[in-house]
């Protein structure tokens, strides 16, 4: 049985690697000559820039993959200061408390905000509502100040999304479970924090691009620089015929995996599955751009002792936040300088773009 994988981002690459190790036949097709999809690292002189994700959480599965690829010695742990998070409030960066007790004893929230946090411990759990948004959940559990200055910037930094539209059960189902199991989210967090543990935040020497490059180098049936232009399923035996920009694929396939963004998958499904293609095409991707700036370290008054800062919409910022990349990992900036890439979320300040964002 031959399997076609369309898309050479991290999902397609890891699937191909798993099939190859299991002895299963496959072909992977990727439009770009570069593997990795949105994972992309670029070296510009003395600066190593991450155009996509900045770091990874080292799960057991990822650690096993890194070990299989011989990359364990190239892992770089985030500096200890990366545990600190800052939020823009009142025109200045303030450190966000890292624990439930810190929320109550610190001065980040007002007295009214802290009182609402205390009251969460005694609020009763409400019946499960699978249509409840993040804003609705945090609003009823913790009050509006937590929504505005903790939830909104946090969700913007992770999803570039709107917590008034994102569903709790699709994004953070564990919080809904804590409410149901313990009656209080804070009480549940305090009871389970030691059991969960904290995953290592890591990068790789040379940037995250090292990971997809290593995967691509291991694959025997990967075709980069070949975009798939058409899928056609034979009515007689159900096998799939694939056309690419380099010509027809070398064979027919019993299975096809689309490891693609929905807007890229939709045109390929339009011929065989028009209704599903329309649904995929309607999925919204918030556009984002990363802008890097570098300064002499002596000219920056802030200690930059953290992972970075988030910018709530209430502060009317020009960017969703800033990652202090040269404070987190070594070799990201020229000695004596600091590298600060703010991530700008266009969707928060302008209408939806007419055309979808690029994949790289």
């Amino acid at each position: 049985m031959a399997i076609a994988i369309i898309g050479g981002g991290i999902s397609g690459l890891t699937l191909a690697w798993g099939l190859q190790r299991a002895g299963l036949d496959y072909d992977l097709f990727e439009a770009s000559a570069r593997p990795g999809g949105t994972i992309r690292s670029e070296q510009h002189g003395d600066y190593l820039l991450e155009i996509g994700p900045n770091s990874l959480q080292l799960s057991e599965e990822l650690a096993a993959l890194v070990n299989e690829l011989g990359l364990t010695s190239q892992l770089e742990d985030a500096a200890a200061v990366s545990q600190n998070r800052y939020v823009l409030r009142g025109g200045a960066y303030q450190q966000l408390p890292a624990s439930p007790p810190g929320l109550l004893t610190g001065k980040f929230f007002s007295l009214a905000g802290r009182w609402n946090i205390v009251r969460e411990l005694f609020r009763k759990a409400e019946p499960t509502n699978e249509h409840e948004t993040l804003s609705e959940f945090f609003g009823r559990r913790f009050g509006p100040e937590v929504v505005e200055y903790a939830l909104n910037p946090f969700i913007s930094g992770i999803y570039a999304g709107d917590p008034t539209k994102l569903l709790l059960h699709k994004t953070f189902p564990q919080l809904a479970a804590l409410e149901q199991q313990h009656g209080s989210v804070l009480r549940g967090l305090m009871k389970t924090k030691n059991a969960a543990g904290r995953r290592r935040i890591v990068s790789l020497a040379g940037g995250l691009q090292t990971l997809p490059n290593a995967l691509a180098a291991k694959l025997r049936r990967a075709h980069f620089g070949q975009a798939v232009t058409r899928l056609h399923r034979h009515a007689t035996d159900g096998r799939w015929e694939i056309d690419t920009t380099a010509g027809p694929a070398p064979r027919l396939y019993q299975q096809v995996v689309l490891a693609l963004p929905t807007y890229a998958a939709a045109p390929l499904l339009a011929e065989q599955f028009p209704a599903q293609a329309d649904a995929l095409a309607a999925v919204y991707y918030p556009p984002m751009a990363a802008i890097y700036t570098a300064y002499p370290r002596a000219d920056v008054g802030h200690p930059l002792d953290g992972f970075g800062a988030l910018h709530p919409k209430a502060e009317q910022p020009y960017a969703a936040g800033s990652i202090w990349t040269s404070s987190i990992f070594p070799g990201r900036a020229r000695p004596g300088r600091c590298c600060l890439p703010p991530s700008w979320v266009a969707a928060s300040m302008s209408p939806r773009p007419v055309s979808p964002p690029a994949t790289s």
Side-chain angles (χ1 to χ4, degrees):
M1 180 180 72
I3 301 170
I5 304 167
I6 305 175
I10 193 64
S11 297
L13 293 170
T14 51
L15 173 59
W17 175 238
L19 293 177
Q20 183 171 297
R21 284 174 56 83
L24 298 175
D25 204 5
Y26 72 92
D27 278 298
L28 179 144
F29 301 93
E30 164 57 36
S32 172
R34 178 190 59 81
T38 54
I39 294 179
R40 181 178 171 186
S41 309
E42 294 184 1
Q43 187 76 45
H44 292 267
D46 294 328
Y47 299 93
L48 177 59
L49 311 182
E50 296 288 4
I51 310 304
N54 178 270
S55 57
L56 300 172
Q57 286 190 337
L58 193 64
S59 63
E60 291 183 8
E61 296 81 3
L62 178 57
L65 175 63
V66 168
N67 185 60
E68 290 171 7
L69 298 174
L71 298 177
T72 302
S73 63
Q74 297 188 47
L75 283 175
E76 295 179 337
D77 281 284
V81 296
S82 66
Q83 297 183 25
N84 300 330
R85 300 292 196 276
Y86 286 81
V87 173
L88 183 66
R89 182 159 193 178
Y93 283 152
Q94 299 186 35
Q95 188 171 342
L96 186 66
S99 64
L103 294 173
L104 303 178
T105 58
K107 299 296 180 65
F108 183 84
F109 292 109
S110 66
L111 284 174
R114 280 178 275 168
W115 173 238
N116 265 326
I117 294 171
V118 170
R119 291 176 64 193
E120 197 279 333
L121 292 165
F122 307 100
R123 289 191 174 99
K124 294 182 179 180
E126 294 191 6
T128 299
N129 176 9
E130 293 188 355
H131 299 288
E132 187 173 34
T133 66
L134 285 169
S135 287
E136 290 168 342
F137 177 80
F138 275 83
R140 70 176 175 81
R141 296 300 310 181
F142 297 98
E145 189 177 356
V146 169
V147 170
E148 192 170 70
Y149 279 97
L151 176 67
N152 281 347
F154 180 73
I155 295 303
S156 177
I158 293 179
Y159 291 104
D162 184 350
T164 66
K165 297 178 181 178
L166 293 173
L167 298 180
L168 174 73
H169 284 267
K170 298 297 184 183
T171 49
F172 296 100
Q174 65 272 29
L175 296 181
L178 289 176
E179 179 189 25
Q180 297 302 315
Q181 294 169 10
H182 302 279
S184 160
V185 176
L186 288 179
R187 193 181 302 119
L189 286 173
M190 288 185 285
K191 288 182 177 180
T192 60
K193 66 176 182 178
N194 292 329
R198 188 166 187 167
R199 290 179 178 173
R200 292 165 59 188
I201 303 298
V202 299
S203 184
L204 290 158
L208 295 183
Q209 184 74 51
T210 301
L211 178 59
N213 284 354
L215 277 166
K218 295 280 190 181
L219 300 180
R220 294 189 292 267
R221 300 285 302 182
H223 312 278
F224 292 99
Q226 295 188 27
V228 172
T229 57
R230 180 175 178 263
L231 290 176
H232 176 72
R233 193 174 193 180
H234 290 191
T236 54
D237 59 9
R239 291 189 298 171
W240 291 89
E241 179 183 336
I242 294 178
D243 291 333
T244 77
T245 50
R251 49 187 165 170
L252 300 179
Y253 301 92
Q254 282 75 23
Q255 301 288 339
V256 174
V257 177
L258 299 181
L260 296 168
T262 57
Y263 56 79
L268 298 178
L269 295 175
E271 179 183 328
Q272 307 284 328
F273 306 102
Q276 289 85 346
D278 289 342
L280 290 176
V283 175
Y284 175 52
Y285 282 70
M288 174 178 284
I291 306 167
Y292 277 83
T293 55
Y295 304 92
R297 184 64 185 88
D299 291 349
V300 179
H302 195 280
L304 302 178
D305 55 342
F307 193 90
L310 296 170
H311 300 166
K313 290 183 180 180
E315 296 289 320
Q316 298 182 329
Y318 76 97
S322 180
I323 299 173
W324 303 336
T325 183
S326 54
S327 296
I328 307 170
F329 297 111
R332 266 47 180 181
R334 181 185 307 166
R337 299 181 76 88
C338 56
C339 198
L340 314 173
S343 297
W344 175 56
V345 182
S348 65
M349 289 164 275
S350 62
R352 177 179 176 175
V354 176
S355 57
T359 57
S360 60

